[in-house]
Amino acid sequence: MIESISGISAVYIFLLAAFAGYEVIAKVPVILHTPLMSGSNFIHGIVLVGAMVALGHAEGTTEQVVGFFAVLLAAMNAVGGYVVTERMLEMFKSSKEKKNG
Amino acid sequence: MGSLIEVVYFVAVALFILGLKRMSSPRHAREGIVWAGIGMVAATVATFFVPNLENFGLMIAAIIIGSGIAFVSGKRVAMTDMPQMIALYNGMGGGAAAAIAAVELLKMSGNHAEMSHSMITIQLAVAGAVIGTVSFSGSLIAFAKLQGWLRKAVRFPYQQLANLVVFVGMVSTGVYLAFVGVDIGIIIFFFLLALAFGVMVTIPIGGADMPVVISLFNALTGLAVAFEGFVLNNAAMIIAGTVVGAAGTLLTQLMAKAMNRPISNVLFGSFGASGGGAEEEVEGSLKPIEAPDAAVMMAFAEKVIIVPGYGMAVAQAQHKIWEMSKQLIDNGVDVKFAIHPVAGRMPGHMNVLLAEAGVPYDRILDLDEINEDFATTDVVLVIGANDVVNPVARSNPESPIYGMPILNADYAKNVIVIKRGKGAGFSGIENALFYNDNTRMLYGDGQEMANQLIQGIKEL
């Protein structure tokens, strides 16, 4: 189905993604540490995609049950992470506007 | 179809990274999460079209149930409880990564003969399983602690040894799975050991170190997701997971640095439990003050600095405190808020709460920005903060918090401390500041006391 990612290119992807993650966070004011942790928590909610594939390929009851929980937990990670981050950042927006207005 | 899905994943990953970048500046922070959210929805929808998938009923049911629970709990939770919710959702992510690994390992155990998986795939699945499971059980313990279900740092004799035994057991079963063969009994044993290790590593850690630990688990979950991404051949998971792993590691370092505690100390040290030095008697006495007198002191001051801590969050006093500050500002008093990097239960926790109450940015200052100012300040109002203003961190090398940078509240002319009752801070250490000659204790609930202060200032 999907083009396979060969060994060495996987290592390159890993390396470059690590640099990207490091750079993006490098200059962050303390004020945003909590929202940012929450935001990155949301982003690893992408595990949902993998959980869906795992459940989609599951055969037999055991695999299905474990796969079901994978999707359930992943969905909680993604949705919960989004809601909490959004609520935190919403407040930053309002205080900013108050200040400007 | 396959390549179209790949394109959607590519766009989603780009949105994640750009979104994270946006989130790192206050001005665009909110757009950042929206961008990342769009990426997530797109990637999820695209995944339904991956060829040869089955069990759609279960899939949709799980998504609806999980999303529903998370949506309601995320919307309902009070701002003060945010840190533990982050821990909880992070644990869910770790658990999901571990469950993916479990499904893949179960598949492998089913068909030894026509082994379609290469050795490296199994090894990565096992590595992701360990990390994800430890992050899962560890995050749940962190959640329980911050939620107050598990109060104390749990310690017992030979704890390090017990941890080591579990660790060695976990690694050896993992190595067995990865290199010798996949067997269902060993898979179960392996996951049990990893669960136990996550619990054992987290229970002895004191509450003050929790933010660092949660951040670390966040990074670990990212890494676990990346590993499972390799197993499933999914570039979106690899990249997003790795980005979070790296960003989370850096965040963890920044936090540990702010507390002046190397990460190894947080994990293997014994914060708040060291004997001797911490038990030392503090000289002086606690001198109480009534709210009206405190109100007078502040109203006639030129410069007031407010130091908020977790106690303010618990009392939900931030709105009242800001109302009081506005009165003082109207009276011509220069009011500033001083935020210690680890005030509250997470870096930036106090900033979030004050922003919620409507305090403008320019009145909220970091430790580095404001520490010089304490010496020229008339009144420092400490509300619900404790360890972050404890001068013992400067003076007593025996103290467990020795060396942690603190807000120099004790240099101010007067200090008023709003506190619910006597008793030590989260680290369990007596606070020498409270016994100083120029310190007055205002005992009571934070919100109630803020109310009384507002009344007091009004009546002047």
Side-chain angles (χ1 to χ4, degrees):
Chain A
M1 51 166 208
I2 294 165
E3 288 276 323
S4 162
I5 301 161
S6 73
I8 191 67
S9 55
V11 176
Y12 279 125
I13 292 176
F14 189 76
L15 185 75
L16 292 174
F19 276 123
Y22 198 87
E23 272 308 308
V24 163
I25 299 285
K27 298 168 209 85
V28 177
V30 176
I31 183 170
L32 283 170
H33 277 181
T34 299
L36 208 54
M37 189 203 296
S38 183
S40 57
N41 179 35
F42 163 68
I43 286 172
H44 66 53
I46 189 67
V47 71
L48 175 59
V49 166
M52 288 166 70
V53 172
L55 175 58
H57 289 151
E59 293 155 0
T61 318
T62 320
E63 287 179 21
Q64 282 180 343
V65 168
V66 178
F68 178 82
F69 276 103
V71 176
L72 184 83
L73 294 177
M76 286 183 75
N77 181 183
V79 174
Y82 185 87
V83 170
V84 166
T85 312
E86 210 264 345
R87 275 183 63 192
M88 271 191 241
L89 294 175
E90 180 67 28
M91 290 172 333
F92 280 99
K93 184 184 155 212
S94 61
S95 80
K96 191 89 192 169
E97 278 166 5
K98 245 174 254 162
K99 198 177 141 193
N100 291 344
Chain B
M1 202 63 203
S3 59
L4 187 61
I5 294 170
E6 289 296 287
V7 170
V8 175
Y9 282 174
F10 178 82
V11 172
V13 166
L15 284 172
F16 288 160
I17 296 177
L18 291 173
L20 204 58
K21 181 75 203 162
R22 294 239 122 184
M23 272 186 254
S24 54
S25 88
R27 191 187 258 296
H28 305 292
R30 201 177 158 279
E31 288 164 43
I33 185 69
V34 174
W35 288 21
I38 293 169
M40 190 70 75
V41 172
T44 309
V45 172
T47 305
F48 278 108
F49 296 97
V50 170
N52 306 323
L53 289 193
E54 287 162 39
N55 302 323
F56 280 110
L58 279 175
M59 207 182 285
I60 291 169
I63 291 176
I64 290 175
I65 296 171
S67 307
I69 295 172
F71 186 82
V72 172
S73 61
K75 282 280 182 201
R76 281 216 184 138
V77 64
M79 273 301 149
T80 38
D81 294 338
M82 282 302 175
Q84 53 262 48
M85 291 318 277
I86 299 176
L88 186 64
Y89 297 139
N90 175 54
M92 300 296 113
I100 293 173
V103 173
E104 295 304 311
L105 288 173
L106 284 171
K107 271 192 188 312
M108 295 169 198
S109 76
N111 44 3
H112 291 279
E114 69 267 36
M115 190 80 105
S116 59
H117 296 84
S118 68
M119 207 66 166
I120 184 82
T121 313
I122 303 175
Q123 286 154 10
L124 284 170
V126 169
V130 170
I131 300 171
T133 310
V134 169
S135 170
F136 172 69
S137 58
S139 295
L140 290 187
I141 295 292
F143 168 78
K145 284 202 172 197
L146 289 177
Q147 190 76 2
W149 295 350
L150 252 180
R151 256 279 120 82
K152 286 274 169 199
V154 180
R155 287 162 214 281
F156 49 85
Y158 303 110
Q159 190 162 21
Q160 302 279 25
L161 188 68
N163 286 0
L164 189 69
V165 169
V166 175
F167 180 76
V168 170
M170 176 180 85
V171 171
S172 354
T173 46
V175 167
Y176 183 91
L177 285 177
F179 292 95
V180 183
V182 184
D183 172 89
I184 190 149
I186 297 193
I187 294 175
I188 294 171
F189 189 55
F190 165 69
F191 276 105
L192 288 178
L193 282 172
L195 280 174
F197 186 69
V199 172
M200 290 175 71
V201 141
T202 319
I203 48 169
I205 296 171
D209 283 338
M210 264 320 150
V212 182
V213 174
I214 295 173
S215 177
L216 187 65
F217 284 142
N218 185 40
L220 286 179
T221 303
L223 204 58
V225 170
F227 284 171
E228 297 314 321
F230 281 113
V231 174
L232 296 173
N233 215 341
N234 184 315
M237 279 171 75
I238 299 176
I239 297 175
T242 310
V243 164
V244 173
T249 307
L250 181 58
L251 261 183
T252 311
Q253 282 170 349
L254 290 175
M255 287 182 199
K257 203 171 141 204
M259 297 168 79
N260 198 24
R261 288 176 50 71
I263 293 164
S264 60
N265 269 18
V266 173
L267 289 178
F268 306 112
S270 51
F271 195 44
S274 64
E279 308 294 323
E280 177 185 323
E281 283 291 310
V282 185
E283 285 182 28
S285 60
L286 295 167
K287 296 161 284 291
I289 190 174
E290 294 300 320
D293 300 327
V296 172
M297 270 170 79
M298 286 193 290
F300 291 102
E302 262 177 46
K303 219 167 134 186
V304 171
I305 296 179
I306 299 174
V307 180
Y310 189 61
M312 182 186 80
V314 172
Q316 292 286 349
Q318 61 271 26
H319 296 278
K320 290 291 173 193
I321 289 290
W322 174 230
E323 194 183 331
M324 181 201 79
S325 308
K326 279 190 284 194
Q327 285 182 316
L328 291 174
I329 293 165
D330 290 343
N331 280 353
V333 183
D334 176 18
V335 181
K336 292 258 160 51
F337 290 81
I339 312 282
H340 190 277
V342 296
R345 286 293 177 269
M346 253 188 208
H349 192 185
M350 289 297 125
N351 305 73
V352 170
L353 290 180
L354 292 176
E356 183 198 14
V359 181
Y361 282 126
D362 47 7
R363 293 199 182 269
I364 305 176
L365 299 171
D366 282 350
L367 180 124
D368 295 335
E369 295 169 326
I370 204 165
N371 238 354
E372 303 274 297
D373 292 3
F374 280 104
T376 58
T377 300
D378 302 297
V379 180
V380 171
L381 179 69
V382 177
I383 168 158
N386 194 335
D387 296 329
V388 298
V389 290
N390 192 346
V392 161
R394 270 197 315 260
S395 59
N396 182 0
E398 299 283 297
S399 171
I401 60 168
Y402 180 72
M404 178 173 95
I406 57 158
L407 289 164
N408 294 326
D410 53 326
Y411 291 172
K413 294 186 188 106
N414 296 287
V415 179
I416 299 169
V417 179
I418 300 181
K419 203 166 176 303
R420 188 186 283 274
K422 295 166 194 184
F426 214 78
S427 65
I429 305 159
E430 276 291 347
N431 194 331
L433 172 71
F434 300 168
Y435 295 85
N436 272 357
D437 289 337
N438 57 353
T439 303
R440 295 290 177 273
M441 306 298 289
L442 183 54
Y443 288 117
D445 172 72
Q447 186 161 327
E448 175 58 27
M449 286 305 119
N451 253 332
Q452 292 190 15
L453 289 173
I454 291 169
Q455 279 305 318
I457 297 169
K458 229 178 237 165
E459 283 163 15
L460 290 175

